Amino acid sequence: MNQTVDNLNLVSNMVIKERGKMHHLSTDICHYLYSLADEQNGKNVSLMLNGVPTLIVQNREDAEYVLRRNYANYEKNMVWFKQALGASRFFENGQIWKLHKNLTQPFLNRFDDQQTVKLAIHYAQQGLAQLINGGREGQVTLDDGIFRKMAMAVFLENFFPISLEESGINIDSIAELMEFSSEFSFIPAGTLNTQHRRRLVKLRALRRQVNGQLQIFRDPKYTNPLLERILQAEAEPENQVVLEDELMAFLAAGSESTAATMSWVCYLLACHPEQQEKLYQEVMAHPQPTNWQQLSQMPGLMTFISEALRLYPPIPIIIRQALGKDRIGDDEISEQQNIIISFIGIMRNQNVYQNPAELNLRDDDYSPLNDKESGIGISFSHGPRICGGKDFALVELAGFVYTFLKQASFTLTSDLPPRFYWKSQMVNQGGQPVRVTPRSNERVDIVPSLATP
Ligand code: HEM
């Protein structure tokens, strides 16, 4: 249905005003999308964003149409990210995207789930020890950096012959780069003001810094078939492949969304103490899982992860641009129109979910893995550009959450609602208001890095 929103005013390039509340488009977009999900539930919304006609898609069928059935007409529209982070499989389209995808996807498809589970349990223990012991006196929120470190450590040791410690990579710089890039997402190309230009200068300096850190992957001491493949492609200029650019996006994708998910899992656990106890009983009944099959057979655990992804999708939106005219439902789509797929809106559709804002746990015979409407079914996207690391992310998340539940408990330190902040991922600004306490029967040690995983 064509909804032109009359309670929205475009007041400047970067800010939208909604019922007297100002939303900064880039960082504050999640709050706007949650209110849109309430007020225009399940309906698509067309509006002008910075002078560009934009359709916000809030139902699964239309998202599926854009992302899969008529995928050829809807390109990724990430000009700014590409400028900030360089060419990679994330930002490219067409043949160049296929080439980039073929460099890394075979490795993402063939990961060893046993090794991933082992690494995830190990680094979750390390992360927990830091969340418990590293929390400063009086600190009432969780440090997102700890989740990023856990996710990056597992990712690196899975796909590269080097640990996070050895690599010297500063994960905060990568996160900062993603944050910088998202600030530019809604600025049409060629319309920069002075403030944006200053930010761009800073962004370029940051990129040089990260590029410098990634040089270590050129050291023959650390090479492996994945790196050899990228370097081989780089040797032919027409491929437009640069090792550091490819790695930067790969590392960011491989750790940032998983880290954001873990922070929301902790928040959701803290919001639901009774469910937390039930899940604790479930994991205690499954001692020492070593592979995906064993983890995935814990229905409570998998449903809880899926619900965290549904209520707080770590990638809350994806952006496309129409190549040619089209029609989506009742909306005429013009050439170059922007399409924002709102996973927030889609997964709060009251026609699909009963009480969509609530945590919905199911019977033991339900598996979110077989449900295309579940958080797991939707938040990794659909069609040819589906998340390349979905299977890996699920194994890793299951290992992390299993370990967290088994070894610690989570309580809220504040009843205030989340302050959603978008920086390519959706996070709770200032950190999750959660306290982590060790379970009395479990020891949480600071364990050293796994030398030979
Ligand atoms: C909970 C964790 C994750 C979530 C929710 C998630 C979600 C997504 C989504 C929604 C996209 C599509 C973006 C778009 O079309 O604009 C995407 C793309 C991608 N993700 Fe993930 N992701 C997660 C973790 C990971 C991990 C751990 C890896 C790597 C191991 C990964 C690798 C990728 C890659 C390579 C793409 C680009 C696919 C392409 O277009 O070729 N993701 N992810």
Side-chain angles (χ1 to χ4, degrees):
M1 216 181 141
N2 191 342
Q3 298 279 330
T4 304
V5 193
D6 47 13
N7 61 345
L8 279 175
N9 281 316
L10 279 179
V11 292
S12 86
N13 235 6
M14 286 294 286
V15 179
I16 43 180
K17 191 177 166 202
E18 179 225 359
R19 296 197 172 165
K21 255 177 87 182
M22 304 293 254
H23 291 286
H24 285 267
L25 247 193
S26 52
T27 50
D28 207 16
I29 186 148
C30 301
H31 283 286
Y32 172 58
L33 291 172
Y34 277 105
S35 41
L36 213 56
D38 283 343
E39 287 158 22
Q40 310 277 352
N41 192 269
K43 293 171 186 150
N44 299 338
V45 174
S46 53
L47 70 167
M48 296 293 280
L49 282 187
N50 294 329
V52 181
T54 301
L55 182 74
I56 301 186
V57 172
Q58 296 206 95
N59 72 74
R60 194 179 64 80
E61 290 73 23
D62 292 334
E64 161 102 3
Y65 175 76
V66 172
L67 297 172
R68 193 175 63 80
R69 280 187 286 130
N70 198 14
Y71 144 83
N73 192 46
Y74 295 96
E75 276 202 331
K76 270 211 171 180
N77 184 8
M78 301 183 82
V79 182
W80 282 113
F81 278 84
K82 196 170 147 181
Q83 281 215 4
L85 303 177
S88 76
R89 68 178 281 192
F90 275 87
F91 318 130
E92 296 297 338
N93 289 295
Q95 284 308 315
I96 290 285
W97 164 66
K98 280 195 184 142
L99 188 145
H100 281 261
K101 179 184 173 196
N102 287 337
L103 295 177
T104 46
Q105 196 56 43
F107 297 89
L108 287 175
N109 292 344
R110 284 201 307 259
F111 71 97
D112 171 355
D113 68 312
Q114 293 195 21
Q115 156 144 319
T116 309
V117 171
K118 190 168 150 187
L119 286 168
I121 292 176
H122 174 80
Y123 283 111
Q125 285 172 345
Q126 253 191 22
L128 267 183
Q130 287 163 7
L131 289 169
I132 293 164
N133 306 323
R136 289 188 302 278
E137 190 71 20
Q139 186 168 343
V140 288
T141 57
L142 301 181
D143 174 1
D144 282 340
I146 295 173
F147 299 115
R148 293 208 304 273
K149 220 163 150 183
M150 278 164 50
M152 181 71 93
V154 175
F155 178 75
L156 270 183
E157 284 187 41
N158 252 279
F159 296 105
F160 301 97
I162 188 166
S163 70
L164 178 58
E165 257 167 61
E166 282 172 294
S167 76
I169 292 175
N170 178 348
I171 45 161
D172 294 332
S173 315
I174 295 189
E176 215 180 324
L177 255 183
M178 298 295 283
E179 182 170 359
F180 260 110
S181 317
S182 38
E183 279 180 27
F184 290 92
S185 302
F186 296 102
I187 307 172
T191 57
L192 288 185
N193 62 28
T194 318
Q195 196 199 349
H196 297 141
R197 286 207 178 85
R198 276 202 208 109
R199 299 289 282 169
L200 260 189
V201 171
K202 233 179 134 182
L203 189 151
R204 288 190 182 121
L206 196 59
R207 184 171 161 198
R208 274 196 300 277
Q209 189 189 324
V210 175
N211 268 351
Q213 290 166 17
L214 295 176
Q215 288 296 309
I216 194 163
F217 290 93
R218 291 190 182 271
D219 184 339
K221 197 165 89 189
Y222 295 116
T223 201
N224 74 352
L226 167 57
L227 288 166
E228 276 164 20
R229 195 179 169 98
I230 301 177
L231 285 169
Q232 240 171 33
E234 188 190 54
E236 297 180 24
E238 71 273 18
N239 288 338
Q240 301 174 33
V241 170
V242 176
L243 177 77
E244 288 78 6
D245 294 348
E246 203 62 49
L247 284 179
M248 184 142 34
F250 196 51
L251 298 185
S255 59
E256 294 286 311
S257 318
T258 307
T261 309
M262 280 311 295
S263 88
W264 288 112
V265 163
C266 292
Y267 176 68
L268 203 58
L269 283 171
C271 290
H272 298 277
E274 278 177 25
Q275 294 307 334
Q276 198 182 142
E277 277 319 296
K278 278 194 192 156
L279 290 168
Y280 175 65
Q281 299 305 332
E282 184 180 65
V283 300
M284 291 311 281
H286 291 81
Q288 295 171 344
T290 56
N291 58 30
W292 166 242
Q293 209 214 357
Q294 290 163 359
L295 284 167
S296 63
Q297 279 168 1
M298 288 179 238
L301 178 78
M302 295 316 298
T303 304
F304 194 83
I305 293 172
S306 187
E307 280 293 281
L309 289 165
R310 184 180 71 76
L311 291 165
Y312 306 109
I315 299 192
I317 51 167
I318 54 181
I319 308 171
R320 296 290 187 265
Q321 187 174 47
L323 294 180
K325 287 184 186 166
D326 196 10
R327 168 176 280 275
I328 297 180
D330 289 343
D331 290 283
E332 295 289 346
I333 304 296
S334 55
E335 208 177 303
Q336 300 207 319
Q337 178 159 344
N338 266 348
I339 311 289
I340 293 183
I341 307 283
S342 166
F343 288 133
I344 292 174
I346 292 169
M347 294 192 285
R348 289 193 167 225
N349 187 344
Q350 286 156 5
N351 294 332
V352 178
Y353 309 94
Q354 273 182 355
N355 305 321
E358 306 291 320
L359 173 68
N360 287 316
L361 297 179
R362 311 284 193 97
D363 301 339
D364 277 0
D365 55 2
Y366 169 80
S367 168
L369 299 168
N370 304 326
D371 178 0
K372 56 182 191 296
E373 317 271 13
S374 71
I376 288 178
I378 288 179
S379 62
F380 291 91
S381 189
H382 264 297
R385 304 299 295 256
I386 188 173
C387 171
K390 177 174 178 176
D391 292 350
F392 175 79
L394 287 176
V395 178
E396 184 186 21
L397 280 171
F400 282 159
V401 181
Y402 172 88
T403 311
F404 270 37
L405 280 164
K406 196 167 163 193
Q407 302 201 337
S409 59
F410 302 81
T411 41
L412 276 184
T413 55
S414 160
D415 290 331
L416 291 175
R419 290 193 297 154
F420 299 112
Y421 182 76
W422 186 64
K423 46 176 203 158
S424 301
Q425 280 71 39
M426 181 172 75
V427 295
N428 196 348
Q429 197 166 17
Q432 299 292 358
V434 173
R435 178 167 297 115
V436 186
T437 320
R439 294 262 178 196
S440 53
N441 56 341
E442 292 284 341
R443 261 186 52 203
V444 180
D445 294 327
I446 300 193
V447 265
S449 168
L450 290 182
T452 44

